[in-house]
Amino acid sequence: MDVLAVVFAVLGAASNAAGTAFQRKAAARLDRGGGLRFLLVLAHDPAWVAGIAGVAGAALFQALALAFGPLALVQPVFVLELPFALLIAAPLLHRRMPAAGWAGVAAVVGGLALFLGCAAPSGAEDQAPMSRWAPVLTGCLGAMALGVAAARDRRRSPVFRAAALGTAAAIGNALTAALLKSATGTLSDHGLPAFLTTWQTYGFALTGIAAVLLLENALQAGPLAASQPALTIGDAAVSLLLGVVLFDETVRTGWLLVPELLAVALVAGGVVTLVRAVPHIRETAH
């Protein structure tokens, strides 16, 4: 297990969580609104600027993590973003975490540690031939399109639609990370001109934007309890698969599959617990 990759991935999860929390704090101070004027007002708020810095820092930390470690190791660590977000947002917004929330944090952290310890993802490749990229791009983009199509069916419940869009966003996130890993590998090996001319650079920009849009729609389509678990677990699972298929990364199997599956169940249960705890976060005196 590459220690630097894990450290940068944890920093990326924390940075993105902090960025989101500060942006929400800034937006909560204003009346509802939108458009350019709303953004201009936010731009003068130090909390919003700190939030943008956090999101930018998260992208940098993710790129560094992918440069130092395998995709199958880095992306699962980003499940920590949800517990980080609640732990940071609660005091920032003068809220108190309920007991169930702390149990959810423990389950996510413990489950992730158990999974990474048992699976021990490894690999040193950051490039893949087009013969591997072609089916991966077809499969991922096709699955994302199917998720969108399923969510557009108004006969489906809000829970189903949110889960479908959350899954599509998860696939988009995993594909973005794979393209980012390849692009940063090109930057490291061949310099900036090669980075700016490789198709993966523009690929991760496009898929990243698509993933963000899908997530926004998932949050609007139905409850967070449906979209967040699909996003969190889906991103880690698809990233692990892409790491194996594209970059010849390996994970330990055999009898270790039993504790690995137990770890996945623990993380999933923790995520669901955290999402359900959100409405019960109470305001503190300040």
Side-chain angles (χ1 to χ4, degrees):
M1 186 182 301
D2 193 307
V3 175
L4 274 178
V6 173
V7 169
F8 282 128
V10 171
L11 288 173
S15 184
N16 205 43
T20 301
F22 274 102
Q23 285 179 302
R24 287 180 178 174
K25 180 179 178 64
R29 295 172 178 169
L30 302 177
D31 294 331
R32 292 189 177 184
L36 181 59
R37 185 177 179 181
F38 185 67
L39 289 176
L40 289 174
V41 173
L42 283 174
H44 289 84
D45 190 325
W48 188 81
V49 174
I52 293 298
V55 172
L60 176 60
F61 285 131
Q62 182 182 26
L64 288 170
L66 290 169
F68 283 104
L71 183 69
L73 170 63
V74 171
Q75 287 304 106
V77 176
F78 275 83
V79 304
L80 294 177
E81 183 180 335
L82 179 59
F84 271 133
L86 294 181
L87 290 173
I88 294 170
L92 188 67
L93 300 175
H94 305 287
R95 300 290 190 269
R96 181 184 292 116
M97 180 83 78
W102 289 108
V105 170
V108 172
V109 174
L112 177 64
L114 177 62
F115 176 80
L116 293 180
C118 293
S122 61
E125 298 295 325
D126 54 30
Q127 300 299 329
M130 201 62 203
S131 59
R132 294 184 184 180
W133 275 116
V136 162
L137 290 170
T138 301
C140 288
L141 296 176
M144 291 166 67
L146 285 175
V148 173
R152 287 176 62 87
D153 187 350
R154 296 297 178 179
R155 295 172 297 179
R156 302 286 190 177
S157 68
V159 170
F160 176 89
R161 293 167 59 204
L165 288 170
T167 301
I171 296 170
N173 280 340
L175 181 58
T176 299
L179 291 164
L180 176 61
K181 180 174 180 62
S182 187
T184 53
T186 299
L187 176 64
S188 176
D189 295 337
H190 305 290
L192 185 60
F195 173 79
L196 294 176
T197 55
T198 187
W199 67 269
Q200 286 94 335
T201 298
Y202 304 96
F204 83 71
L206 291 174
T207 55
I209 292 171
V212 170
L213 293 175
L214 286 169
L215 177 57
E216 291 295 329
N217 280 275
L219 295 174
Q220 293 178 0
L224 185 65
S227 59
Q228 189 65 51
L231 177 72
T232 303
I233 304 302
D235 186 357
V238 176
S239 293
L240 193 150
L241 178 62
L242 294 185
V244 172
V245 172
L246 284 171
F247 306 123
D248 285 327
E249 296 173 3
T250 60
V251 294
R252 293 190 293 194
T253 55
W255 68 270
L256 286 170
L257 283 173
V258 175
E260 287 170 11
L261 291 175
L262 176 62
V264 171
L266 194 58
V267 171
V271 170
V272 172
T273 300
L274 285 173
V275 171
R276 289 178 174 173
V278 170
H280 303 289
I281 297 178
R282 296 174 182 174
E283 187 170 359
T284 61
H286 61 280

